[in-house]
């Protein structure tokens, strides 16, 4: 199942994402062969403005070698921010 999620006001050095920019995510369910536990798998398509932003981040920061590393940090930083906001 594919779904589009809108970004808003995520600007990085001249690259501004507006309400009309989206990210495409594919959602699948997987089952662990040993435990039978069902888990959700998510595929994120990196294109358009998101690709431009990721490319800019990689150019400006030598510690990133690929989009997966950027997404990992963005995800963990975002989760940390959401947890901090929920404490207030």
């Amino acid at each position: 199942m594919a779904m589009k999620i809108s970004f808003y006001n995520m600007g990085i050095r001249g690259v501004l994402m507006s309400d009309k920019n989206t990210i495409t995510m594919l959602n699948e369910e997987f089952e662990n062969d040993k435990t039978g536990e069902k888990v959700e798998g998510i595929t994120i398509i990196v294109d358009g403005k998101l690709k431009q932003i990721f490319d800019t981040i990689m150019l400006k920061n030598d510690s990133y070698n690929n989009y997966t590393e950027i997404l990992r940090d963005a995800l963990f930083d975002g989760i940390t921010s959401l947890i901090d906001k929920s404490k207030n």
Side-chain angles (χ1 to χ4, degrees):
M1 165 188 273
M3 61 195 243
K4 294 203 179 260
I5 298 174
S6 292
F7 283 89
Y8 58 93
N9 298 331
M10 183 180 174
I12 297 181
R13 296 190 182 133
V15 180
L16 180 65
M17 300 188 75
S18 70
D19 289 333
K20 295 179 183 173
N21 295 307
T22 60
I23 181 172
T24 302
M25 299 175 74
L26 307 173
N27 196 16
E28 292 183 67
E29 186 176 89
F30 296 91
E31 185 173 331
N32 183 319
D33 290 338
K34 294 179 182 176
T35 66
E37 177 185 17
K38 294 187 186 221
V39 296
E40 189 172 338
I42 301 169
T43 301
I44 298 172
I45 308 301
V46 179
D47 64 353
K49 291 286 187 180
L50 181 61
K51 182 181 181 323
Q52 289 176 1
I53 288 173
F54 279 23
D55 288 343
T56 301
I57 290 169
M58 283 182 23
L59 283 172
K60 303 289 183 180
N61 190 333
D62 291 337
S63 66
Y64 292 117
N65 296 308
N66 56 53
Y67 296 151
T68 304
E69 294 172 351
I70 296 170
L71 185 59
R72 175 202 61 214
D73 286 352
L75 181 63
F76 283 116
D77 288 351
I79 289 171
T80 299
S81 175
L82 292 172
I83 290 170
D84 289 346
K85 286 179 185 177
S86 71
K87 290 179 182 178
N88 296 331

